[in-house]
Amino acid sequence: GIGSAEAVLLARSQFGLFFTQAQATESANTLTIKPLAALVIETHTSPGRMKAVVEKHVGQFAQRSFGGASIARKQIDGVELVEWKSPDNTRQLILAVVDTVAIVGNDESVVLRCIEIRRGRQPSLATNQQLQTMKEQLRGSQAPVFGFVPKAGVKALIQAWAFARAGNAAEAAAIAPLISNAFGNLIDGFAWASRLDQSG
């Protein structure tokens, strides 16, 4: 606990990146693909000590990424949401702090879902038996980076891949769901883990 707020926060924190689905919107001949994702940071630090630090860094990231951003605050179910929007209102970053956890997402629905999971109102992956089995097999608890996609998430991942491969093709919005439905039923889920050795 000794040191600058940034140093203490980084040393204590664990990070989880969650991807839920990809949204595709078509305008004229342009297909815009938006992955809905959230970065969940368990800081192991009291909100009073970490909230200002996290908000500062997320705000700086939003300003750099958006080329300037407007900021707004609102309360939902007792939680303050801080929202940065790009000048053209097409992109956003939303920050919420619940207990010792900071949630940063690119869509309000994703952030609210993470809040509900944190509060125990929706099920989390922590009780998923497939995750526990994969974690054991890959020694995920000791891995610096561990990833897991349950069966429910396979279709969303394949759909995102199909959108990325299709580029700006006009038929991508129709083809991607077909590909994800066709191949999503063949995969029961998957996981991966990183390892550090003497070479790095």
Side-chain angles (χ1 to χ4, degrees):
I2 298 172
S4 69
E6 284 89 349
V8 171
L9 196 62
L10 184 60
R12 289 181 177 175
S13 294
Q14 294 171 291
F15 299 83
L17 182 62
F18 297 89
F19 167 78
T20 58
Q21 65 185 49
Q23 282 183 342
T25 54
E26 203 172 341
S27 174
N29 292 330
T30 304
L31 178 68
T32 304
I33 301 161
K34 176 185 175 182
L36 299 185
L39 175 65
V40 178
I41 309 166
E42 172 53 81
T43 66
H44 303 285
T45 305
S46 67
R49 189 165 187 192
M50 66 86 161
K51 187 176 180 183
V53 175
V54 173
E55 187 174 322
K56 179 182 103 175
H57 286 285
V58 173
Q60 288 173 346
F61 177 78
Q63 295 295 341
R64 283 193 311 270
S65 300
F66 299 161
S70 61
I71 185 171
R73 296 173 189 274
K74 63 180 170 181
Q75 291 273 337
I76 295 182
D77 198 16
V79 177
E80 182 184 49
L81 300 183
V82 185
E83 179 182 47
W84 292 267
K85 279 194 173 183
S86 63
D88 61 1
N89 287 330
T90 59
R91 293 182 294 163
Q92 61 185 347
L93 272 181
I94 299 161
L95 168 68
V97 173
V98 181
D99 303 322
T100 60
V101 173
I103 302 163
V104 183
N106 64 346
D107 189 85
E108 185 177 296
S109 65
V110 175
V111 173
L112 293 177
R113 187 170 176 193
C114 288
I115 292 169
E116 292 294 293
I117 291 168
R118 173 67 181 175
R119 290 177 160 177
R121 296 177 184 167
Q122 286 194 29
S124 76
L125 283 176
T127 58
N128 185 296
Q129 189 53 51
Q130 186 184 26
L131 169 63
Q132 302 309 323
T133 303
M134 294 279 207
K135 209 170 183 182
E136 219 172 271
Q137 289 174 354
L138 297 173
R139 292 180 294 150
S141 297
Q142 290 82 39
V145 178
F146 175 76
F148 172 68
V149 179
K151 181 152 184 78
V154 170
K155 285 185 181 180
L157 192 63
I158 292 174
Q159 186 172 351
W161 173 84
F163 278 137
R165 298 290 295 173
N168 286 332
E171 64 274 9
I175 293 172
L178 295 175
I179 293 172
S180 69
N181 285 333
F183 292 101
N185 291 326
L186 303 176
I187 302 170
D188 197 39
F190 54 90
W192 64 95
S194 66
R195 293 280 178 272
L196 295 175
D197 60 20
Q198 292 176 350
S199 304

